[in-house]
Amino acid sequence: FIDASPFKPGAMQGYPHLLSDASLKTLRDRHVRFVDATQAFDATAGQVYWDNCCHYTRLGNEVLADVIAGAVLAPEVRWR
């Protein structure tokens, strides 16, 4: 996080709630798919954001697209 970003407080407070809610059994029971991409960029060398908010560089978009595609194509996915 960039300390000066006006989005830091909301992200720091909001993401733990999103992750907690996404792991609830009720979401799985309702067949709600959730992909936790919070660690998608951890092993990526290079700049993935072009601003201090949420806009990705080309590299960031490619990495995120790979995460999403991997989740969609995962063998355990059962689409209804």
Side-chain angles (χ1 to χ4, degrees), residues 36-52:
D36 177 2
T38 57
Q39 298 176 353
F41 304 129
D42 288 358
T44 303
Q47 185 174 344
V48 293
Y49 292 100
W50 65 266
D51 61 9
N52 69 355

Side-chain angles (χ1 to χ4, degrees), residues 9-70:
M12 298 273 306
Q13 292 174 355
Y15 270 89
H17 292 288
L18 290 171
L19 294 175
S20 173
D21 290 349
S23 66
L24 294 176
K25 186 180 182 307
T26 55
L27 290 180
R28 288 191 305 274
D29 289 346
R30 293 179 183 170
H31 305 286
V32 174
R33 300 263 315 148
F34 179 87
V35 177
D36 177 2
T38 57
Q39 298 176 353
F41 304 129
D42 288 358
T44 303
Q47 185 174 344
V48 293
Y49 292 100
W50 65 266
D51 61 9
N52 69 355
C53 171
C54 48
H55 300 102
Y56 302 123
T57 62
R58 180 181 178 125
L59 174 62
N61 279 315
E62 290 171 354
V63 170
L64 187 58
D66 287 344
V67 169
I68 294 168

